[in-house]
Amino acid sequence: MAIRRVIEVGDEVLRKKAKEVEKVDDKIRELLDDMVETMHKFNGVGLAAPQVGILKRIIVIDLYDDKGPIKLVNPVIIKEKGEQEVEEGCLSFPNQYAKIIRPMEVKVKALNENGEEIKISAKGLLAQALAHEIDHLDGILFIDKIIPGTLEFIEQNQ
Ligand code: NI
């Protein structure tokens, strides 16, 4: 496993549409593991492949609960319900946070790391994280959706 460089705001790769993965093979599994390691290193709750410079439809999420890291290939939101106003940040936007409206519940279809089709029903923070990371795959960033006037710059004490 290896830590990858996280691409930050200003790089055009974050605006590109990622391509579907045709086959979940060892190379994809290695990327998934690297992405989990990178997300953990920077204390993130999610990371999308374009953020490490790879335009493939791959995301990882970890809410640091008993579900452990979630690794998804070709995720698609097939249903969403309700709204929640949340505080949000992104590893590609260090120290920036804003309020944003996300769905309260989502149902996502994806492939797992073995290439098997799975469905995830999520609420609250997990629904927020899934929506955020899946947006990255279409070049959509959280700053596109912020509630005006809510962007804040907060230095984290490391
Ligand atoms: Ni992000």
Side-chain angles (χ1 to χ4, degrees), residues 5-15 51 90-96 136 141-144 153:
R5 187 173 70 89
V6 176
I7 288 171
E8 294 184 357
V9 55
D11 192 317
E12 268 307 297
V13 77
L14 295 176
R15 287 299 187 183
Q51 292 180 278
C90 176
L91 289 181
S92 295
F93 291 77
N95 306 322
Q96 297 186 37
H136 270 297
L141 303 171
F142 86 109
I143 46 160
D144 302 335
F153 293 79

PDB file of all heavy atoms in Angstrom, residues 5-15 51 90-96 136 141-144 153:
ATOM      1  N   ARG A   5      -0.595  11.259  -3.528  1.00  0.00           N
ATOM      2  CA  ARG A   5      -0.681  12.713  -3.376  1.00  0.00           C
ATOM      3  C   ARG A   5      -2.126  13.162  -3.626  1.00  0.00           C
ATOM      4  O   ARG A   5      -2.746  12.746  -4.617  1.00  0.00           O
ATOM      5  CB  ARG A   5       0.243  13.400  -4.395  1.00  0.00           C
ATOM      6  CG  ARG A   5       0.353  14.903  -4.190  1.00  0.00           C
ATOM      7  CD  ARG A   5       1.399  15.499  -5.116  1.00  0.00           C
ATOM      8  NE  ARG A   5       0.975  15.479  -6.511  1.00  0.00           N
ATOM      9  CZ  ARG A   5       0.280  16.461  -7.095  1.00  0.00           C
ATOM     10  NH1 ARG A   5      -0.076  17.535  -6.416  1.00  0.00           N
ATOM     11  NH2 ARG A   5      -0.060  16.369  -8.358  1.00  0.00           N
ATOM     12  N   VAL A   6      -2.658  13.967  -2.737  1.00  0.00           N
ATOM     13  CA  VAL A   6      -4.025  14.475  -2.908  1.00  0.00           C
ATOM     14  C   VAL A   6      -3.977  15.776  -3.707  1.00  0.00           C
ATOM     15  O   VAL A   6      -3.283  16.726  -3.340  1.00  0.00           O
ATOM     16  CB  VAL A   6      -4.721  14.704  -1.551  1.00  0.00           C
ATOM     17  CG1 VAL A   6      -6.103  15.326  -1.749  1.00  0.00           C
ATOM     18  CG2 VAL A   6      -4.839  13.389  -0.785  1.00  0.00           C
ATOM     19  N   ILE A   7      -4.707  15.781  -4.800  1.00  0.00           N
ATOM     20  CA  ILE A   7      -4.738  16.947  -5.681  1.00  0.00           C
ATOM     21  C   ILE A   7      -5.655  18.007  -5.094  1.00  0.00           C
ATOM     22  O   ILE A   7      -6.744  17.697  -4.608  1.00  0.00           O
ATOM     23  CB  ILE A   7      -5.201  16.495  -7.081  1.00  0.00           C
ATOM     24  CG1 ILE A   7      -4.056  15.694  -7.689  1.00  0.00           C
ATOM     25  CG2 ILE A   7      -5.596  17.678  -7.945  1.00  0.00           C
ATOM     26  CD1 ILE A   7      -4.384  15.006  -8.958  1.00  0.00           C
ATOM     27  N   GLU A   8      -5.177  19.254  -5.137  1.00  0.00           N
ATOM     28  CA  GLU A   8      -5.929  20.324  -4.497  1.00  0.00           C
ATOM     29  C   GLU A   8      -6.566  21.264  -5.514  1.00  0.00           C
ATOM     30  O   GLU A   8      -6.233  21.244  -6.699  1.00  0.00           O
ATOM     31  CB  GLU A   8      -5.021  21.089  -3.518  1.00  0.00           C
ATOM     32  CG  GLU A   8      -4.613  20.175  -2.363  1.00  0.00           C
ATOM     33  CD  GLU A   8      -3.792  20.849  -1.295  1.00  0.00           C
ATOM     34  OE1 GLU A   8      -3.459  22.049  -1.436  1.00  0.00           O
ATOM     35  OE2 GLU A   8      -3.491  20.161  -0.295  1.00  0.00           O
ATOM     36  N   VAL A   9      -7.479  22.057  -4.992  1.00  0.00           N
ATOM     37  CA  VAL A   9      -8.238  23.033  -5.771  1.00  0.00           C
ATOM     38  C   VAL A   9      -7.324  23.804  -6.734  1.00  0.00           C
ATOM     39  O   VAL A   9      -6.214  24.171  -6.379  1.00  0.00           O
ATOM     40  CB  VAL A   9      -9.001  23.994  -4.820  1.00  0.00           C
ATOM     41  CG1 VAL A   9      -8.076  24.659  -3.820  1.00  0.00           C
ATOM     42  CG2 VAL A   9      -9.778  25.034  -5.583  1.00  0.00           C
ATOM     43  N   GLY A  10      -7.818  23.990  -7.959  1.00  0.00           N
ATOM     44  CA  GLY A  10      -7.045  24.690  -8.979  1.00  0.00           C
ATOM     45  C   GLY A  10      -6.580  23.750 -10.072  1.00  0.00           C
ATOM     46  O   GLY A  10      -6.346  24.170 -11.198  1.00  0.00           O
ATOM     47  N   ASP A  11      -6.477  22.454  -9.756  1.00  0.00           N
ATOM     48  CA  ASP A  11      -6.063  21.474 -10.762  1.00  0.00           C
ATOM     49  C   ASP A  11      -7.289  21.015 -11.559  1.00  0.00           C
ATOM     50  O   ASP A  11      -8.287  20.587 -10.978  1.00  0.00           O
ATOM     51  CB  ASP A  11      -5.414  20.276 -10.049  1.00  0.00           C
ATOM     52  CG  ASP A  11      -4.705  19.347 -11.022  1.00  0.00           C
ATOM     53  OD1 ASP A  11      -5.280  19.056 -12.101  1.00  0.00           O
ATOM     54  OD2 ASP A  11      -3.584  18.912 -10.704  1.00  0.00           O
ATOM     55  N   GLU A  12      -7.182  21.107 -12.871  1.00  0.00           N
ATOM     56  CA  GLU A  12      -8.313  20.804 -13.759  1.00  0.00           C
ATOM     57  C   GLU A  12      -8.812  19.359 -13.646  1.00  0.00           C
ATOM     58  O   GLU A  12      -9.955  19.061 -13.994  1.00  0.00           O
ATOM     59  CB  GLU A  12      -7.924  21.092 -15.218  1.00  0.00           C
ATOM     60  CG  GLU A  12      -8.270  22.474 -15.668  1.00  0.00           C
ATOM     61  CD  GLU A  12      -9.734  22.824 -15.421  1.00  0.00           C
ATOM     62  OE1 GLU A  12     -10.609  22.160 -16.028  1.00  0.00           O
ATOM     63  OE2 GLU A  12     -10.007  23.736 -14.623  1.00  0.00           O
ATOM     64  N   VAL A  13      -7.964  18.460 -13.174  1.00  0.00           N
ATOM     65  CA  VAL A  13      -8.375  17.058 -13.099  1.00  0.00           C
ATOM     66  C   VAL A  13      -9.607  16.896 -12.204  1.00  0.00           C
ATOM     67  O   VAL A  13     -10.448  16.018 -12.433  1.00  0.00           O
ATOM     68  CB  VAL A  13      -7.201  16.148 -12.658  1.00  0.00           C
ATOM     69  CG1 VAL A  13      -6.931  16.247 -11.174  1.00  0.00           C
ATOM     70  CG2 VAL A  13      -7.448  14.699 -13.044  1.00  0.00           C
ATOM     71  N   LEU A  14      -9.741  17.788 -11.229  1.00  0.00           N
ATOM     72  CA  LEU A  14     -10.897  17.713 -10.322  1.00  0.00           C
ATOM     73  C   LEU A  14     -12.215  18.032 -11.030  1.00  0.00           C
ATOM     74  O   LEU A  14     -13.282  17.740 -10.510  1.00  0.00           O
ATOM     75  CB  LEU A  14     -10.713  18.673  -9.139  1.00  0.00           C
ATOM     76  CG  LEU A  14      -9.562  18.366  -8.179  1.00  0.00           C
ATOM     77  CD1 LEU A  14      -9.450  19.461  -7.132  1.00  0.00           C
ATOM     78  CD2 LEU A  14      -9.761  17.009  -7.508  1.00  0.00           C
ATOM     79  N   ARG A  15     -12.115  18.643 -12.216  1.00  0.00           N
ATOM     80  CA  ARG A  15     -13.314  19.047 -12.963  1.00  0.00           C
ATOM     81  C   ARG A  15     -13.682  18.057 -14.067  1.00  0.00           C
ATOM     82  O   ARG A  15     -14.652  18.237 -14.793  1.00  0.00           O
ATOM     83  CB  ARG A  15     -13.092  20.430 -13.584  1.00  0.00           C
ATOM     84  CG  ARG A  15     -13.136  21.547 -12.558  1.00  0.00           C
ATOM     85  CD  ARG A  15     -14.490  21.562 -11.900  1.00  0.00           C
ATOM     86  NE  ARG A  15     -14.682  22.702 -11.016  1.00  0.00           N
ATOM     87  CZ  ARG A  15     -15.790  22.868 -10.288  1.00  0.00           C
ATOM     88  NH1 ARG A  15     -16.765  21.975 -10.332  1.00  0.00           N
ATOM     89  NH2 ARG A  15     -15.916  23.902  -9.505  1.00  0.00           N
ATOM     90  N   GLN A  51      -9.301  12.664  -7.074  1.00  0.00           N
ATOM     91  CA  GLN A  51      -8.515  13.439  -6.111  1.00  0.00           C
ATOM     92  C   GLN A  51      -7.087  12.929  -5.969  1.00  0.00           C
ATOM     93  O   GLN A  51      -6.244  13.608  -5.385  1.00  0.00           O
ATOM     94  CB  GLN A  51      -9.181  13.409  -4.724  1.00  0.00           C
ATOM     95  CG  GLN A  51     -10.498  14.161  -4.684  1.00  0.00           C
ATOM     96  CD  GLN A  51     -11.096  14.082  -3.300  1.00  0.00           C
ATOM     97  OE1 GLN A  51     -11.729  13.107  -2.946  1.00  0.00           O
ATOM     98  NE2 GLN A  51     -10.879  15.110  -2.495  1.00  0.00           N
ATOM     99  N   CYS A  90     -13.529  19.118   2.291  1.00  0.00           N
ATOM    100  CA  CYS A  90     -13.055  18.201   1.251  1.00  0.00           C
ATOM    101  C   CYS A  90     -11.530  18.184   1.323  1.00  0.00           C
ATOM    102  O   CYS A  90     -10.914  19.243   1.492  1.00  0.00           O
ATOM    103  CB  CYS A  90     -13.509  18.723  -0.114  1.00  0.00           C
ATOM    104  SG  CYS A  90     -12.902  17.773  -1.512  1.00  0.00           S
ATOM    105  N   LEU A  91     -10.924  17.015   1.202  1.00  0.00           N
ATOM    106  CA  LEU A  91      -9.460  16.928   1.297  1.00  0.00           C
ATOM    107  C   LEU A  91      -8.759  17.754   0.213  1.00  0.00           C
ATOM    108  O   LEU A  91      -7.602  18.122   0.358  1.00  0.00           O
ATOM    109  CB  LEU A  91      -8.996  15.471   1.238  1.00  0.00           C
ATOM    110  CG  LEU A  91      -9.301  14.601   2.465  1.00  0.00           C
ATOM    111  CD1 LEU A  91      -8.768  13.192   2.272  1.00  0.00           C
ATOM    112  CD2 LEU A  91      -8.738  15.214   3.732  1.00  0.00           C
ATOM    113  N   SER A  92      -9.457  18.043  -0.880  1.00  0.00           N
ATOM    114  CA  SER A  92      -8.859  18.856  -1.944  1.00  0.00           C
ATOM    115  C   SER A  92      -8.972  20.360  -1.671  1.00  0.00           C
ATOM    116  O   SER A  92      -8.473  21.165  -2.463  1.00  0.00           O
ATOM    117  CB  SER A  92      -9.506  18.517  -3.291  1.00  0.00           C
ATOM    118  OG  SER A  92      -9.202  17.187  -3.650  1.00  0.00           O
ATOM    119  N   PHE A  93      -9.667  20.712  -0.590  1.00  0.00           N
ATOM    120  CA  PHE A  93      -9.844  22.126  -0.204  1.00  0.00           C
ATOM    121  C   PHE A  93      -9.424  22.297   1.250  1.00  0.00           C
ATOM    122  O   PHE A  93     -10.265  22.448   2.134  1.00  0.00           O
ATOM    123  CB  PHE A  93     -11.310  22.546  -0.362  1.00  0.00           C
ATOM    124  CG  PHE A  93     -11.781  22.623  -1.777  1.00  0.00           C
ATOM    125  CD1 PHE A  93     -12.086  21.462  -2.485  1.00  0.00           C
ATOM    126  CD2 PHE A  93     -11.921  23.851  -2.411  1.00  0.00           C
ATOM    127  CE1 PHE A  93     -12.512  21.525  -3.801  1.00  0.00           C
ATOM    128  CE2 PHE A  93     -12.349  23.916  -3.722  1.00  0.00           C
ATOM    129  CZ  PHE A  93     -12.645  22.755  -4.426  1.00  0.00           C
ATOM    130  N   PRO A  94      -8.112  22.261   1.510  1.00  0.00           N
ATOM    131  CA  PRO A  94      -7.660  22.280   2.901  1.00  0.00           C
ATOM    132  C   PRO A  94      -8.196  23.502   3.651  1.00  0.00           C
ATOM    133  O   PRO A  94      -8.179  24.612   3.119  1.00  0.00           O
ATOM    134  CB  PRO A  94      -6.132  22.361   2.784  1.00  0.00           C
ATOM    135  CG  PRO A  94      -5.809  21.958   1.399  1.00  0.00           C
ATOM    136  CD  PRO A  94      -7.007  22.250   0.549  1.00  0.00           C
ATOM    137  N   ASN A  95      -8.669  23.231   4.856  1.00  0.00           N
ATOM    138  CA  ASN A  95      -9.113  24.281   5.787  1.00  0.00           C
ATOM    139  C   ASN A  95     -10.369  25.041   5.350  1.00  0.00           C
ATOM    140  O   ASN A  95     -10.699  26.069   5.914  1.00  0.00           O
ATOM    141  CB  ASN A  95      -7.992  25.291   6.065  1.00  0.00           C
ATOM    142  CG  ASN A  95      -6.727  24.613   6.543  1.00  0.00           C
ATOM    143  OD1 ASN A  95      -6.788  23.654   7.294  1.00  0.00           O
ATOM    144  ND2 ASN A  95      -5.581  25.092   6.081  1.00  0.00           N
ATOM    145  N   GLN A  96     -11.062  24.548   4.320  1.00  0.00           N
ATOM    146  CA  GLN A  96     -12.274  25.249   3.883  1.00  0.00           C
ATOM    147  C   GLN A  96     -13.507  24.420   4.244  1.00  0.00           C
ATOM    148  O   GLN A  96     -13.547  23.215   3.989  1.00  0.00           O
ATOM    149  CB  GLN A  96     -12.242  25.497   2.374  1.00  0.00           C
ATOM    150  CG  GLN A  96     -11.098  26.410   1.963  1.00  0.00           C
ATOM    151  CD  GLN A  96     -11.166  26.772   0.492  1.00  0.00           C
ATOM    152  OE1 GLN A  96     -12.228  26.975  -0.076  1.00  0.00           O
ATOM    153  NE2 GLN A  96     -10.008  26.861  -0.144  1.00  0.00           N
ATOM    154  N   HIS A 136     -17.764  13.964  -7.038  1.00  0.00           N
ATOM    155  CA  HIS A 136     -16.390  14.105  -7.540  1.00  0.00           C
ATOM    156  C   HIS A 136     -16.206  13.375  -8.869  1.00  0.00           C
ATOM    157  O   HIS A 136     -15.410  13.799  -9.713  1.00  0.00           O
ATOM    158  CB  HIS A 136     -15.391  13.503  -6.541  1.00  0.00           C
ATOM    159  CG  HIS A 136     -14.875  14.456  -5.507  1.00  0.00           C
ATOM    160  ND1 HIS A 136     -14.135  15.572  -5.815  1.00  0.00           N
ATOM    161  CD2 HIS A 136     -14.981  14.445  -4.157  1.00  0.00           C
ATOM    162  CE1 HIS A 136     -13.807  16.206  -4.692  1.00  0.00           C
ATOM    163  NE2 HIS A 136     -14.311  15.540  -3.669  1.00  0.00           N
ATOM    164  N   LEU A 141     -17.855  19.716  -7.365  1.00  0.00           N
ATOM    165  CA  LEU A 141     -17.170  19.933  -6.096  1.00  0.00           C
ATOM    166  C   LEU A 141     -18.120  20.590  -5.094  1.00  0.00           C
ATOM    167  O   LEU A 141     -19.086  21.245  -5.497  1.00  0.00           O
ATOM    168  CB  LEU A 141     -15.944  20.828  -6.329  1.00  0.00           C
ATOM    169  CG  LEU A 141     -14.959  20.252  -7.353  1.00  0.00           C
ATOM    170  CD1 LEU A 141     -13.889  21.276  -7.707  1.00  0.00           C
ATOM    171  CD2 LEU A 141     -14.319  18.970  -6.839  1.00  0.00           C
ATOM    172  N   PHE A 142     -17.831  20.404  -3.816  1.00  0.00           N
ATOM    173  CA  PHE A 142     -18.779  20.912  -2.804  1.00  0.00           C
ATOM    174  C   PHE A 142     -18.956  22.423  -2.886  1.00  0.00           C
ATOM    175  O   PHE A 142     -20.031  22.927  -2.587  1.00  0.00           O
ATOM    176  CB  PHE A 142     -18.384  20.437  -1.389  1.00  0.00           C
ATOM    177  CG  PHE A 142     -17.386  21.285  -0.670  1.00  0.00           C
ATOM    178  CD1 PHE A 142     -17.759  22.056   0.420  1.00  0.00           C
ATOM    179  CD2 PHE A 142     -16.058  21.310  -1.067  1.00  0.00           C
ATOM    180  CE1 PHE A 142     -16.837  22.846   1.105  1.00  0.00           C
ATOM    181  CE2 PHE A 142     -15.131  22.089  -0.387  1.00  0.00           C
ATOM    182  CZ  PHE A 142     -15.524  22.861   0.685  1.00  0.00           C
ATOM    183  N   ILE A 143     -17.918  23.130  -3.347  1.00  0.00           N
ATOM    184  CA  ILE A 143     -18.048  24.595  -3.450  1.00  0.00           C
ATOM    185  C   ILE A 143     -19.092  25.015  -4.489  1.00  0.00           C
ATOM    186  O   ILE A 143     -19.544  26.142  -4.480  1.00  0.00           O
ATOM    187  CB  ILE A 143     -16.715  25.289  -3.803  1.00  0.00           C
ATOM    188  CG1 ILE A 143     -16.016  24.560  -4.940  1.00  0.00           C
ATOM    189  CG2 ILE A 143     -15.825  25.452  -2.602  1.00  0.00           C
ATOM    190  CD1 ILE A 143     -14.984  25.433  -5.637  1.00  0.00           C
ATOM    191  N   ASP A 144     -19.462  24.079  -5.391  1.00  0.00           N
ATOM    192  CA  ASP A 144     -20.507  24.389  -6.379  1.00  0.00           C
ATOM    193  C   ASP A 144     -21.882  24.476  -5.722  1.00  0.00           C
ATOM    194  O   ASP A 144     -22.829  24.980  -6.323  1.00  0.00           O
ATOM    195  CB  ASP A 144     -20.571  23.296  -7.455  1.00  0.00           C
ATOM    196  CG  ASP A 144     -19.247  23.125  -8.175  1.00  0.00           C
ATOM    197  OD1 ASP A 144     -18.465  24.097  -8.212  1.00  0.00           O
ATOM    198  OD2 ASP A 144     -18.991  22.018  -8.692  1.00  0.00           O
ATOM    199  N   PHE A 153     -12.794  29.658   6.431  1.00  0.00           N
ATOM    200  CA  PHE A 153     -11.428  29.128   6.406  1.00  0.00           C
ATOM    201  C   PHE A 153     -11.007  28.882   7.850  1.00  0.00           C
ATOM    202  O   PHE A 153     -10.968  29.805   8.642  1.00  0.00           O
ATOM    203  CB  PHE A 153     -10.488  30.128   5.724  1.00  0.00           C
ATOM    204  CG  PHE A 153     -10.797  30.297   4.265  1.00  0.00           C
ATOM    205  CD1 PHE A 153     -11.849  31.107   3.848  1.00  0.00           C
ATOM    206  CD2 PHE A 153     -10.063  29.617   3.303  1.00  0.00           C
ATOM    207  CE1 PHE A 153     -12.153  31.256   2.500  1.00  0.00           C
ATOM    208  CE2 PHE A 153     -10.362  29.756   1.956  1.00  0.00           C
ATOM    209  CZ  PHE A 153     -11.410  30.579   1.549  1.00  0.00           C
TER     210      PHE A 153
END
